[in-house]
């Protein structure tokens, strides 16, 4: 529960690089997510180049943290792997959340930036990374060693719970 309740969106990072072992652990966590009919329709692009990270800021209005983040991971849905059409969004969202929780458990900071369904962001990612037509970018996660600390958010609201019916 601690890694879930203390996870926060971190947007400030130190210059310390992320180890390849840490990146692999984040991807193992992402690929451990549940998916419809166990189809695992995800593909990932690991981004570490400063110029490439900066280029994302040209078409994604909420990507300013990439100025400091040493890495980012683009989570994509591969529609050619779908057994249940349309569920790639849920499957890749679960993978994204697993990645965020794994980052928090390792003492790393991360933030989820939405890409899909904003067409200008989808098109920008497609062009920048040469994504094939059957691969749709869902989310971009900036990752780094945090240069900010945030207290856990208190988001539990019993008024949002309905038992047995509305």
């Amino acid at each position: 529960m601690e890694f879930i309740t203390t996870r926060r969106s971190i947007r400030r990072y130190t210059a310390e690089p992320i180890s390849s072992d840490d990146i692999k652990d984040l991807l193992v966590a992402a690929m451990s997510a549940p998916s419809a009919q166990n189809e695992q329709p995800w593909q990932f692009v690991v981004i570490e180049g400063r110029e490439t990270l900066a280029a994302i800021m040209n078409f994604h209005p909420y990507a300013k943290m990439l100025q400091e983040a040493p890495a980012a991971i683009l989570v994509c849905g591969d529609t050619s792997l779908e057994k249940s059409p349309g569920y790639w969004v849920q499957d890749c969202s679960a993978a994204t959340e697993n990645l965020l929780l794994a980052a928090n458990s390792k003492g790393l900071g991360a933030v989820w930036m939405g890409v899909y369904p904003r067409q200008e962001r989808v098109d920008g990612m497609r062009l920048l990374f040469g994504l094939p037509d059957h691969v749709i970018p869902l989310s971009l996660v900036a990752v780094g060693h945090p240069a900010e600390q945030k207290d856990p958010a208190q988001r539990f609201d019993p008024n949002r719970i309905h038992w047995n019916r509305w």
Side-chain angles (χ1 to χ4, degrees):
M1 287 297 292
E2 178 184 350
F3 296 124
I4 294 171
T5 59
T6 61
R7 189 218 54 83
R8 296 297 308 271
S9 294
I10 301 298
R11 295 175 176 85
R12 303 282 326 274
Y13 307 96
T14 70
E16 184 180 351
I18 303 295
S19 74
S20 58
D21 286 343
D22 282 344
I23 294 288
K24 181 182 176 196
D25 287 347
L26 298 181
L27 293 170
V28 166
M31 291 184 212
S32 296
S35 63
Q37 296 189 50
N38 197 31
E39 65 193 4
Q40 304 169 39
W42 38 65
Q43 302 282 354
F44 302 88
V45 179
V46 178
I47 310 153
E48 296 178 307
R50 293 280 7 124
E51 287 182 17
T52 306
L53 290 165
I56 294 168
M57 292 183 284
N58 292 327
F59 59 85
H60 197 304
Y62 302 105
K64 290 181 176 46
M65 71 287 297
L66 295 177
Q67 292 173 348
E68 295 179 352
I73 298 173
L74 182 63
V75 181
C76 302
D78 186 337
T79 59
S80 72
L81 299 175
E82 283 190 301
K83 297 175 189 170
S84 300
Y87 280 88
W88 71 268
V89 174
Q90 294 178 49
D91 300 339
C92 291
S93 294
T96 302
E97 182 65 8
N98 274 15
L99 195 157
L100 293 169
L101 293 172
N104 189 43
S105 76
K106 297 180 81 54
L108 298 171
V111 62
W112 178 334
M113 290 169 271
V115 176
Y116 180 87
R118 300 289 189 203
Q119 196 60 50
E120 69 281 3
R121 297 177 201 174
V122 169
D123 292 344
M125 294 296 183
R126 278 191 189 286
L127 183 63
L128 186 59
F129 297 107
L131 302 177
D133 290 341
H134 63 277
V135 174
I136 305 168
L138 174 84
S139 61
L140 180 68
V141 178
V143 182
H145 295 275
E148 65 179 337
Q149 298 297 321
K150 294 183 176 181
D151 292 331
Q154 301 301 320
R155 295 184 176 137
F156 179 77
D157 182 354
N159 294 316
R160 302 275 183 109
I161 302 167
H162 309 277
W163 293 87
N164 298 315
R165 60 179 294 145
W166 197 268

